[in-house]
Amino acid sequence: MEKRDIPERTFEFARKIVKLCQVLDQVPGVSRTLSNQLLRSGTSIGANVEEGQGSQSRADFIAKYSIACKEARETHYWLRLLAATEILPQSQLSELLEEAHQLVSILTAIVKKCRANNERKV
């Protein structure tokens, strides 16, 4: 996989989540409810990363990226639930599941590094 910056990567992830939710919304019932949850959390990751890019302070940056990380964890949960309940086949979700997992790892590392740098400066 080619190296991409985190704002671009989270935007592309959000795009894929929107496309998936368009498919889920075509099925009445539980699928629509899960789609709404997935859409909110999956698109919020990139939105918070973008806000973090324009942060006014290191604390603001850490706060936005922390929220993005939490949203990535939530998105991973909804994707796992869709697979576990067989609403969608695991094969259709595996790429998104892996990307959500990687985003959690990357965002966690960024937040930890920024917090550690903040503590050293105090």
Side-chain angles (χ1 to χ4, degrees):
M1 176 178 247
E2 68 184 53
K3 186 177 178 180
R4 296 176 286 157
D5 69 353
I6 197 72
E8 179 187 335
R9 192 165 174 174
T10 56
F11 181 85
E12 180 60 21
F13 182 75
R15 187 191 68 77
K16 290 177 181 178
I17 291 292
V18 168
K19 292 294 190 183
L20 176 63
C21 290
Q22 287 175 326
V23 171
L24 287 170
D25 282 346
Q26 294 174 4
V27 181
V30 173
S31 295
R32 285 187 184 164
T33 303
L34 293 177
S35 173
N36 287 334
Q37 293 292 127
L38 179 62
L39 184 63
R40 288 172 196 261
S41 64
T43 56
S44 180
I45 302 164
N48 279 288
V49 165
E50 284 294 328
E51 285 186 40
Q53 294 297 303
S55 60
Q56 297 176 352
S57 67
R58 184 176 294 262
D60 188 29
F61 178 87
I62 292 169
K64 295 300 181 192
Y65 269 63
S66 294
I67 293 168
C69 187
K70 289 179 182 182
E71 295 293 342
R73 286 182 186 281
E74 181 180 343
T75 301
H76 190 263
Y77 171 84
W78 293 123
L79 290 168
R80 283 180 35 231
L81 187 60
L82 285 169
T85 56
E86 299 177 351
I87 290 174
L88 290 173
Q90 173 78 28
S91 61
Q92 190 174 347
L93 298 170
S94 60
E95 182 183 322
L96 284 171
L97 276 161
E98 179 58 28
E99 182 66 359
H101 178 72
Q102 287 183 21
L103 289 173
V104 168
S105 297
I106 292 165
L107 293 166
T108 298
I110 291 169
V111 169
K112 282 183 178 180
K113 183 176 180 181
C114 285
R115 283 185 178 147
N117 288 342
N118 243 11
E119 289 172 6
R120 279 189 225 131
K121 290 184 179 185
V122 174

